[in-house]
Amino acid sequence: MFPTPIQKRPFFNQVSYKILVPFSLAIWLVPLAGIMMTSIRGLGDITAGNLWGTPSEFLFFSNMADVFQNTPMLSYIINSFKITIPTMIGAVALSCMTGFALAAYKFKANLFIFFTFIAGNFVPFQILMIPVRDLTFQMGLYDTITGLVLFHVAFQTGFCTLFMRNFIKALPHELLEAARIDGTSEFNIFLKIVLPLTRPAIAALCVLIFTFIWNDYFWATVLIQGQHAMPVTAGLKSLNGQWISAYHLLSAGSIMAAIPPVMMFFLMQKHFIAGLTLGASKG
Amino acid sequence: MSQAASSISTRTIRQSSWWKRHQQKLTPIIFLTPGLLFFVVYVIWPILSSLTISLYQWDGLSPKTFIGLENYIMLFDDEYFYVALWNNVKWLVCFMLAVPVGLGLAIFLNQTIFGIRVVKSLFFFPFVISQVVIGLIFTWFYRPDYGAIAPFLNFIGLEGWSILADEDYATYGIIFAGLYPQIAYCMILYLTGLNNINSDQIEAGRMDGAKSFSLFWNIVLPQLRPATFLAIVVTVIGALRSFDMVAIMTQGGPWGSTNVLAYYMFEQALSEYGYRMGYGSAIAAILFTIMMFYIVFFIYRMYQNEKKGL
């Protein structure tokens, strides 16, 4: 254990540690506490400069209602789901297959293809922007959810392949060999042996992709123009222009935009962290 | 594997169909095709295409005119390009703070007291939230009139100071906001790393009377190398990709002083300032080249590990 477990320290250190932890957490969460508190307030408090004091009114629900009724926030949130969920399914499905192919078979171009996926995953978005936008135009998919999803699926396949390939590679190889000797077809090896074992990896990838895509802003501005297809990140940005100084509404909207990934994180925390820290302990 | 494969093929060769004899070779091709197709169309080809477009003058609609390296020559005369490039350097250097701060936090929180799990996940919280939201929060915080830090600014005598409107400090204001989720990311990488270190060595070090710092420096830190490597990689990429925060907080302003290459490219190619696709592609190509150093370094390391693994 590093550092020394606090239980082995003198009593004074233990007490001060137990005070210091919640104290530092409180400081760390100040920005988030700020929007929480502001979402409760009315416009009066904000213009009066009452930002950290007790709210003079409790308007959380009315602020939320205000945002839902007077802005397209609900449709932005629905769009975000329509973009995020198909991307998640598409990228994970494709990468289960590519990951399996790269982990279970030896062939000449194997490492080359694998490294291509990794390298592509790290390139700056700007180098893709103009051709991808053009291609989406030509396919008649500019300003549609489908156009955005297709790109996201393709791009995320890079990261997901890296993840899946390493996961499948770490499975005991004897499993595949035994199945082959029994005469199991390659397709059944994938479907009946490998796929059930990759369930933790699939779960981890789903939460990660959900969060990445939900929070995407760049591609939403490049490939989407109108409100009808705009996800919540781009929507919030455009609402910010309308809500000059209406920070109580901005806070309420931000909270709505943040709830789905936050829920996803807290419900699937173990998988989320396992996915994110892949390679942090070995390799 | 090949041994097993050949034994299957000899055993079944007589009664098996053409497919059965070749499935070992064909299966990977079939499984790779859809994913690879998507990736080539949407990632590999666009990279090559962008590099080509950077040699043309093009507004996105009318026919392209080939101008050779003209875009790059213009770029080297463009003072805004240097501002953006220099800001990228600032981002890279300052963003690196996330690594030691994340490590410090991880060490601080690597204890087993009541409720520590919840504390750790709350520390990680900012990473889950969209950068758009983080950017909006900080923009408002920094406002000198009714931003959340206004009372504090008044207290230290900087009344009315707006960091995002101050050419000299605005970039640092954005980077500070960007560090918030990045520190959380690095922290979680190190927490996982700390969880997996070999405690025997540490106990042995303690027995030998090693002081905390030398224990940390000589035993813990070397074991955390994989976590450090990953933290540096994601932080460099995060710094070079810094688009969202700039777009949300300042749009490159005031007077281009907070521009970074990622945003400047977008501004040149797609915004109301005009549709200079060729010029934008040239900026993207520069950014791509910078990133390529890190990608090659990362892949080289992975390649070394693969060779060890075989």
Side-chain angles (χ1 to χ4, degrees):
Chain A
M1 247 323 246
F2 185 86
T4 312
I6 198 77
Q7 288 80 357
K8 289 186 188 166
R9 295 279 193 160
F11 181 71
F12 174 76
N13 292 27
Q14 291 192 31
V15 173
S16 40
Y17 183 74
K18 281 177 189 166
I19 295 168
L20 209 57
V21 166
F23 183 70
S24 52
L25 181 64
I27 291 179
W28 181 250
L29 292 179
V30 158
L32 301 178
I35 58 163
M36 295 292 241
M37 283 178 69
T38 311
S39 68
I40 295 171
R41 295 175 195 282
L43 189 59
D45 269 358
I46 291 164
T47 42
N50 176 14
L51 297 164
W52 298 104
T54 329
S56 60
E57 304 162 279
F58 182 85
L59 293 174
F60 179 73
F61 293 107
S62 94
N63 286 340
M64 287 281 179
D66 193 348
V67 172
F68 273 128
Q69 277 163 11
N70 301 324
T71 71
M73 198 62 178
L74 186 63
S75 105
Y76 294 151
I77 291 177
I78 292 170
N79 287 338
S80 274
F81 277 111
K82 283 192 200 156
I83 294 163
T84 307
I85 292 172
T87 303
M88 194 170 90
I89 295 169
V92 171
L94 286 180
S95 62
C96 281
M97 290 160 61
T98 51
F100 172 68
L102 292 173
Y105 299 92
K106 280 186 184 150
F107 52 94
K108 249 193 188 149
N110 188 316
L111 270 189
F112 176 75
I113 294 176
F114 180 50
F115 288 146
T116 307
F117 275 121
I118 301 172
N121 173 50
F122 287 137
V123 299
F125 294 150
Q126 284 70 20
I127 196 86
L128 312 177
M129 187 182 98
I130 293 169
V132 166
R133 188 169 172 274
D134 240 29
L135 181 70
T136 311
F137 253 121
Q138 280 162 21
M139 292 193 296
L141 294 173
Y142 179 72
D143 205 18
T144 65
I145 286 176
T146 319
L148 188 56
V149 167
L150 284 177
F151 170 77
H152 277 320
V153 167
F155 191 80
Q156 295 303 329
T157 298
F159 171 74
C160 295
T161 300
L162 161 67
F163 193 97
M164 271 298 179
R165 182 265 190 192
N166 283 351
F167 189 90
I168 297 173
K169 191 99 181 169
L171 297 174
H173 208 263
E174 297 75 41
L175 231 55
L176 307 188
E177 285 172 23
R180 281 192 187 123
I181 291 168
D182 289 345
T184 316
S185 75
E186 300 297 318
F187 278 83
N188 276 335
I189 289 178
F190 174 69
L191 285 176
K192 304 229 164 92
I193 298 170
V194 174
L195 216 47
L197 289 172
T198 54
R199 267 162 61 184
I202 292 175
L205 278 181
C206 283
V207 265
L208 283 179
I209 299 302
F210 183 91
T211 320
F212 291 164
I213 301 303
W214 186 277
N215 291 337
D216 164 69
Y217 173 68
F218 181 76
W219 291 104
T221 54
V222 171
L223 297 179
I224 302 286
Q225 192 136 51
Q227 256 175 26
H228 64 100
M230 206 178 256
V232 75
T233 44
L236 204 56
K237 162 73 177 151
S238 78
L239 285 176
N240 182 43
Q242 297 169 28
W243 284 334
I244 301 157
S245 305
Y247 287 109
H248 54 308
L249 298 183
L250 181 66
S251 302
S254 300
I255 290 173
M256 287 175 203
I259 285 175
V262 166
M263 292 281 285
M264 199 75 172
F265 167 65
F266 278 106
L267 292 175
M268 309 274 286
Q269 210 184 118
K270 201 182 75 189
H271 292 299
F272 190 94
I273 289 174
L276 214 54
T277 56
L278 172 90
S281 54
K282 60 171 190 314
Chain B
M1 190 186 91
S2 54
Q3 230 178 3
S6 59
S7 77
I8 299 168
S9 48
T10 44
R11 192 160 57 86
T12 53
I13 197 146
R14 262 153 296 152
Q15 73 269 36
S16 69
S17 61
W18 181 87
W19 162 249
K20 274 201 174 148
R21 271 180 284 125
H22 291 277
Q23 64 168 345
Q24 284 269 339
K25 277 222 159 22
L26 293 174
T27 315
I29 298 175
I30 294 168
F31 274 79
L32 273 173
T33 304
L36 212 51
L37 198 72
F38 259 82
F39 205 69
V40 168
V41 169
Y42 271 110
V43 181
I44 306 300
W45 173 79
I47 295 175
L48 303 174
S49 173
S50 275
L51 295 176
T52 319
I53 294 173
S54 76
L55 304 176
Y56 286 83
Q57 185 175 38
W58 188 37
D59 62 4
L61 295 167
S62 43
K64 300 178 188 127
T65 335
F66 183 79
I67 52 168
L69 293 174
E70 202 64 35
N71 282 323
Y72 293 92
I73 295 167
M74 272 195 286
L75 205 54
F76 292 122
D77 276 333
D78 178 351
E79 57 171 318
Y80 289 108
F81 168 71
Y82 289 104
V83 173
L85 190 65
W86 178 236
N87 281 334
N88 268 97
V89 174
K90 286 184 197 166
W91 268 89
L92 266 176
V93 172
C94 298
F95 230 44
M96 277 301 152
L97 273 177
V99 179
V101 176
L103 174 61
L105 264 181
I107 289 173
F108 175 62
L109 294 175
N110 193 32
Q111 294 287 354
T112 45
I113 61 165
F114 177 74
I116 196 76
R117 279 179 58 101
V118 179
V119 172
K120 284 178 192 167
S121 32
L122 286 172
F123 263 97
F124 183 62
F125 206 49
F127 182 74
V128 187
I129 297 172
S130 163
Q131 296 213 348
V132 173
V133 173
I134 305 270
L136 288 174
I137 297 174
F138 275 85
T139 311
W140 162 49
F141 265 37
Y142 289 148
R143 279 191 64 149
D145 41 9
Y146 28 70
I149 60 163
F152 174 73
L153 286 180
N154 296 346
F155 181 73
I156 58 169
L158 283 171
E159 201 164 342
W161 183 53
S162 167
I163 185 167
L164 293 180
D166 186 322
E167 272 181 85
D168 298 324
Y169 294 97
T171 292
Y172 297 105
I174 305 173
I175 296 173
F176 185 78
L179 275 172
Y180 186 48
Q182 193 65 29
I183 288 171
Y185 193 178
C186 291
M187 177 202 78
I188 210 81
L189 290 173
Y190 277 118
L191 273 173
T192 312
L194 282 171
N195 218 1
N196 290 304
I197 57 177
N198 180 348
S199 47
D200 293 351
Q201 279 187 28
I202 292 173
E203 291 317 315
R206 284 214 177 97
M207 294 288 197
D208 292 344
K211 288 269 179 303
S212 260
F213 182 77
S214 99
L215 199 66
F216 167 73
W217 191 257
N218 296 315
I219 296 173
V220 176
L221 209 53
Q223 290 203 46
L224 288 175
R225 269 184 64 179
T228 307
F229 176 71
L230 213 57
I232 291 175
V233 167
V234 296
T235 305
V236 166
I237 289 171
L240 291 175
R241 273 197 182 158
S242 51
F243 173 89
D244 294 9
M245 290 285 184
V246 176
I248 296 295
M249 296 179 78
T250 61
Q251 278 113 45
W255 307 291
S257 64
T258 57
N259 237 329
V260 288
L261 291 180
Y263 190 77
Y264 190 47
M265 183 273 166
F266 175 81
E267 198 180 65
Q268 288 298 316
L270 271 193
S271 75
E272 61 265 38
Y273 296 99
Y275 285 74
R276 300 172 73 190
M277 300 291 181
Y279 198 58
S281 295
I283 303 171
I286 303 274
L287 186 60
F288 176 70
T289 313
I290 299 171
M291 200 86 105
M292 241 7 227
F293 282 104
Y294 292 94
I295 296 174
V296 168
F297 171 67
F298 184 74
I299 297 222
Y300 176 74
R301 231 193 90 123
M302 285 206 73
Y303 181 65
Q304 295 296 325
N305 285 333
E306 286 299 321
K307 277 205 306 198
K308 258 187 274 168
L310 289 177

